Amino acid sequence: FTISGGGQNIFKQYDSYEIIVDDDIYDSDVGRPGTLVPFGKCDDNDDLLDEDNNDNSNEYQQGKCDLKPLLAPINHVNPTSYSTRTQKIMSVISAIAGLDAFVDTASPQYQAACWILYDDEHRKTPSDFSLVQRYVLAVMYYSSGGSEWKNQFYFMSAKDECDWSNGKKNEWGVAGIVCTDGYVSSINLGKNNLKGTIASELSILKGIDSLILGGNALVGGIPTELGQISNLASLVLGGNLIGGTIPHTLYQLQELAVLDVSNNTLTGTLPTLI
């Protein structure tokens, strides 16, 4: 069991259950404190995975994320409370943002990770090369108010993320997600009612050559991390509510040919190195 109470957490491992008695911590199945929560027993033999590396536990439960299952706290202290698949996926994902990003159940990072683990019918495995890009696209979805997008482009569906497009074109090209050899190469969500912030995790997608987020209602600043996308040739952020300054990291992109940041609330001056 895992016991938590009295303003501090006291952990003791027995088999595959936990007791949660803090009023502000909920069990992952029924959303109430003080009940037994089956997480699925696992050991070093990966006994929750069959010979094809498929998860045989009951973790995949549509709507389970509505119950806000714990992700980071148990992994910090008691990783064997997870099934092997969950533990390995969290290990991959947490390397991007750190476990602290998954404590807040309202954060885009938590919502994306929880969806990957429990609600995503596509069922990525920990070793799938596209696991990270699917997670990053999910973070972008939750960061920009995806449920209110004008066109969903099959985001968060069981389709492969490379098929998250309706094949139609807007003024910037094919809308939605475009992939090359299985890797995301273009994100075109222009004029699609995006509200929120630009996910810094997009910098993980090194194969992107076109990032089109113009004509929306995005706020916040331009993430400096976007300057790490070495293949980026077109960055369109015009027509939003973005503030702050243009990160100097963008000026170091050797392939960047189009930079549209017009009609925002940016401040500062353009450097002479442009």
Side-chain angles (χ1 to χ4, degrees):
F1 297 91
T2 303
I3 302 176
S4 174
Q8 59 181 342
N9 293 332
I10 305 171
F11 294 90
K12 187 174 182 180
Q13 173 68 28
Y14 292 98
D15 288 335
S16 56
Y17 295 88
E18 69 170 350
I19 292 180
I20 303 176
V21 295
D22 277 7
D23 288 341
D24 60 345
I25 300 179
Y26 294 87
D27 83 49
S28 64
D29 282 341
V30 295
R32 297 192 302 270
T35 56
L36 290 174
V37 186
F39 274 86
K41 183 178 179 180
C42 67
D43 56 28
D44 293 336
N45 294 321
D46 293 354
D47 58 5
L48 285 174
L49 302 181
D50 62 22
E51 62 183 3
D52 294 320
N53 203 37
N54 294 316
D55 187 14
N56 288 323
S57 75
N58 63 353
E59 283 194 351
Y60 271 105
Q61 301 175 23
Q62 284 295 319
K64 183 170 182 177
C65 291
D66 293 337
L67 302 176
K68 309 300 183 186
L70 296 174
L71 299 183
I74 300 301
N75 198 60
H76 269 304
V77 182
N78 187 13
T80 54
S81 292
Y82 283 133
S83 78
T84 303
R85 175 185 175 275
T86 303
Q87 183 180 349
K88 288 182 177 180
I89 286 181
M90 283 303 297
S91 178
V92 172
I93 291 176
S94 63
I96 298 173
L99 280 171
D100 289 342
F102 306 100
V103 175
D104 180 4
T105 58
S107 73
Q109 292 78 17
Y110 172 91
Q111 294 178 76
C114 192
W115 176 74
I116 289 284
L117 291 170
Y118 300 119
D119 286 352
D120 183 9
E121 295 180 12
H122 195 71
R123 302 192 180 188
K124 294 287 187 183
T125 63
S127 59
D128 195 318
F129 78 91
S130 60
L131 168 65
V132 169
Q133 72 176 13
R134 193 171 180 86
Y135 164 74
V136 168
L137 293 175
V139 172
M140 180 185 67
Y141 178 87
Y142 288 115
S143 295
S144 58
S147 62
E148 299 181 13
W149 288 0
K150 182 179 179 180
N151 194 316
Q152 293 292 305
F153 295 113
Y154 301 104
F155 265 70
M156 318 309 285
S157 72
K159 286 177 172 284
D160 187 275
E161 65 277 5
C162 289
D163 294 324
W164 287 354
S165 172
N166 58 12
K168 297 181 180 180
K169 293 184 177 181
N170 57 22
E171 60 189 90
W172 296 284
V174 177
I177 302 300
V178 175
C179 291
T180 302
D181 296 328
Y183 293 93
V184 175
S185 57
S186 173
I187 298 176
N188 181 352
L189 297 173
K191 295 183 178 180
N192 200 46
N193 198 40
L194 274 65
K195 300 177 181 179
T197 58
I198 301 172
S200 61
E201 285 86 350
L202 288 171
S203 63
I204 302 296
L205 306 180
K206 305 300 185 184
I208 293 180
D209 58 33
S210 180
L211 178 58
I212 310 297
L213 301 176
N216 289 295
L218 294 169
V219 298
I222 301 174
T224 59
E225 291 86 351
L226 294 186
Q228 300 173 14
I229 309 176
S230 57
N231 288 330
L232 194 60
S234 181
L235 177 60
V236 177
L237 303 175
N240 282 286
L241 302 171
I242 299 170
T245 60
I246 301 175
H248 282 243
T249 55
L250 296 184
Y251 306 136
Q252 301 170 11
L253 294 171
Q254 298 298 313
E255 302 298 325
L256 190 62
V258 176
L259 174 60
D260 180 1
V261 293
S262 62
N263 297 311
N264 280 289
T265 60
L266 295 168
T267 58
T269 58
L270 294 175
T272 57
L273 57 85
I274 292 183

